[in-house]
Amino acid sequence: MPAAARSVRAMAAAAAVVAMLLSTAAAAAAQHDYGDALHKCILFFEGQRSGRLPPDQRLRWRRDSGLHDGAAAGVDLTGGYYDAGDNVKFGFPMAFSATLMSWGLIDFGRSFGPHREEARKAVRWATDYLMKATAKPNTVYVQVGDAFRDHACWERPEDMDTPRTVYKVDPSHPGSDVAAETAAALAAGSIVFRDADPAYSKRLLDRAVAVFEFADKYRGPYSSSLHAAVCPCYCDYSGYQDELLWGAAWLHKASRRREYREYIKRNEVVLGASDAINEFGWDNKHAGINVLISKEVLMAKDEYFQSFRVNADNFMCTLLPGISNHPQIQYSPGGLLFKAGSSNMQHVTQLSFLLLAYSNYLSHAGGRVSCGSSSASPVQLRRAAKRQVDYILGDNPLRMSYMVGYGARFPRRIHHRASSLPSVAAHPARIGCKAGAAYYASPAPNPNLLVGAVVGGPSDASDAFPDARAVFQQSEPTTYINAPLMGLLAYFSAHPNPAESGGD
């Protein structure tokens, strides 16, 4: 096909996607109960809890687990979250999930309405654990559990008998990436609890300062120090430089200390603030860094960080079909944003959150996104974000929700050990490592609903979803899919019309 014809076809496809996105935005406003979805999104985190469960635990089919975590190393590492459908506690994605939950509460706290307190509890379950993991100076405990042994079994967390090996980073085995992300989570959490629990907020911030100092002083990727343990599950492919900037940005936001402002500006080029700007996730923080810091420019008129605003604008342009000449994101025929790889919904919720956050900053500042010869309004950004949320909740070619327990049709065979095996109440006898294989292979729906879990979803342009436990790339939920979705659902529960603006 001639290049000109390919160009025309690409432009036509982009225009079709734009038309589809805009035509469905108004209709979807009256179709979804975003408040109910928000409640369920938060409830999912109770299903991921490790440790001794509190009396107000609502997902009653879960029981206590991992009560001796850390004991082999002489530390208390009970609590925290299992990252996905397994029984390992990975500190890197847990900290990132906590940071994004907090960001949603910080920017859209009032929109959470009656769900604000349960959202804070979800954050605190993570930050309490991260405080334990950082209690020893110049040390961060970053993982509990042998991922390879755990993944060889299909058993309930209440039954797990695989090694609960403890992994840490320290001056001799640096991990600037996971340590700086942990500092970011603690700093963001300190803002969440600033009014609700000032003493706890101060402890979080003080610890964040110390952990960041460790991350910056002893530089190196944890993927090198702990390669055999953390790779390939959560290997940091993008390097640790982005996490250092990310951690500094959150510490600046939480403390307002000039030293972090100077750190960011001094290291902007050295640590690659403009690198891989089309990415945002547990591994790569670049787009998030630029959006977060841009608030300083847009809200406080701080020209000191003007370059970050330029980077953020460029990023936003790549997400909007029909706006950029160099889009970095593809959309399915049904309108789903997708990137190559597994667990696509993580990209959907994380990038949509950035769209919404940036639209909020622009609205308050009366700004627009500059995309070369064209521009985009905050309303366009919000519509793009809302379209993704609505797709998750059922506005898609399959007419199914990708959130368990929301809507009439949703995934029933998710890749999740605790959900797919009989509960302890239903089957008190232990189910061993290999005995769970029969449940894994069963075509029957999971016996326990992990309410609020959002699965990986369609992974390519086909909008297809097999609802098969074995296809973990599409059927496994993760904390970092749900974490940014909390803020999105809170916002749209209060502002279902994208033409409105609102935030804290």
Side-chain angles (χ1 to χ4, degrees), residues 312-364:
D313 270 13
N314 291 338
F315 163 70
M316 292 297 155
C317 297
T318 69
L319 299 183
L320 300 173
I323 296 293
S324 173
N325 293 325
H326 306 286
Q328 299 293 324
I329 302 297
Q330 300 179 72
Y331 286 87
S332 72
L336 180 68
L337 176 158
F338 73 89
K339 292 176 69 69
S342 63
S343 190
N344 185 61
M345 284 303 182
Q346 67 178 305
H347 305 302
V348 174
T349 60
Q350 291 156 10
L351 296 178
S352 295
F353 180 84
L354 292 187
L355 280 165
L356 181 62
Y358 200 58
S359 76
N360 186 42
Y361 306 155
L362 287 168
S363 289
H364 284 291

Side-chain angles (χ1 to χ4, degrees), residues 154 412-414 420 436-447 467-470:
W154 196 260
R412 299 281 183 171
R413 299 163 187 82
I414 68 173
S420 66
Y439 297 96
Y440 173 80
S442 170
N446 289 9
D467 194 12
R469 205 171 290 119

Side-chain angles (χ1 to χ4, degrees), residues 378-395:
V379 171
Q380 286 175 277
L381 269 59
R382 282 193 290 276
R383 281 177 177 157
K386 187 175 183 294
R387 175 66 188 106
Q388 297 307 304
V389 172
D390 290 341
Y391 187 106
I392 291 171
L393 297 182
D395 290 359

Side-chain angles (χ1 to χ4, degrees), residues 20-48:
M20 179 274 301
L21 295 178
L22 296 177
S23 66
T24 58
Q31 294 178 359
H32 295 298
D33 186 341
Y34 299 105
D36 178 55
L38 171 61
H39 164 69
K40 289 171 177 173
C41 182
I42 298 169
L43 192 60
F44 157 75
F45 286 92
E46 293 193 13
Q48 298 302 109

Side-chain angles (χ1 to χ4, degrees), residues 63-245:
R63 298 288 175 87
D64 299 344
S65 62
L67 296 181
H68 303 290
D69 281 357
V75 291
D76 176 10
L77 295 176
T78 56
Y81 290 117
Y82 302 117
D83 71 304
D86 54 22
N87 301 323
V88 181
K89 290 191 298 205
F90 294 99
F92 200 13
M94 192 194 307
F96 178 65
S97 298
T99 306
L100 288 198
M101 283 194 282
S102 291
W103 195 354
L105 277 162
I106 292 163
D107 277 18
F108 310 114
R110 284 195 296 270
S111 296
F112 277 79
H115 307 293
R116 193 171 189 172
E117 184 54 34
E118 61 179 333
R120 281 199 196 107
K121 286 183 179 179
V123 172
R124 186 156 188 162
W125 196 268
T127 53
D128 279 354
Y129 174 82
L130 296 175
M131 287 292 280
K132 293 179 180 181
T134 57
K136 184 178 178 181
N138 289 333
T139 302
V140 180
Y141 291 94
V142 300
Q143 185 173 314
V144 180
D146 182 320
F148 296 96
R149 296 283 293 276
D150 178 89
H151 291 175
C153 294
W154 196 260
E155 58 186 348
R156 302 177 296 202
E158 295 84 356
D159 290 333
M160 60 182 171
D161 53 3
T162 51
R164 302 301 286 170
T165 312
V166 172
Y167 301 93
K168 66 179 180 179
V169 294
D170 57 26
S172 300
H173 309 86
S176 298
D177 32 28
V178 65
E181 180 61 65
T182 301
L186 295 169
S190 76
I191 303 174
V192 168
F193 292 100
R194 184 176 288 160
D195 296 326
D197 191 338
Y200 183 63
S201 172
K202 185 179 185 304
R203 291 198 300 274
L204 290 175
L205 182 55
D206 289 346
R207 184 64 58 78
V209 169
V211 174
F212 182 78
E213 183 179 346
F214 159 68
D216 190 42
K217 183 176 181 180
Y218 300 100
R219 293 190 179 188
Y222 93 138
S223 301
S224 296
S225 299
L226 299 172
H227 188 273
V230 304
C231 295
C233 296
Y234 291 103
C235 210
D236 186 2
Y237 298 101
S238 70
Y240 63 82
Q241 291 84 354
D242 54 322
E243 276 81 24
L244 288 175
L245 277 175

Side-chain angles (χ1 to χ4, degrees), residues 41-61:
C41 182
I42 298 169
L43 192 60
F44 157 75
F45 286 92
E46 293 193 13
Q48 298 302 109
R49 284 173 170 171
S50 180
R52 193 172 300 282
L53 304 183
D56 62 356
Q57 170 80 10
R58 292 171 293 181
L59 290 186
R60 305 298 293 181
W61 51 267

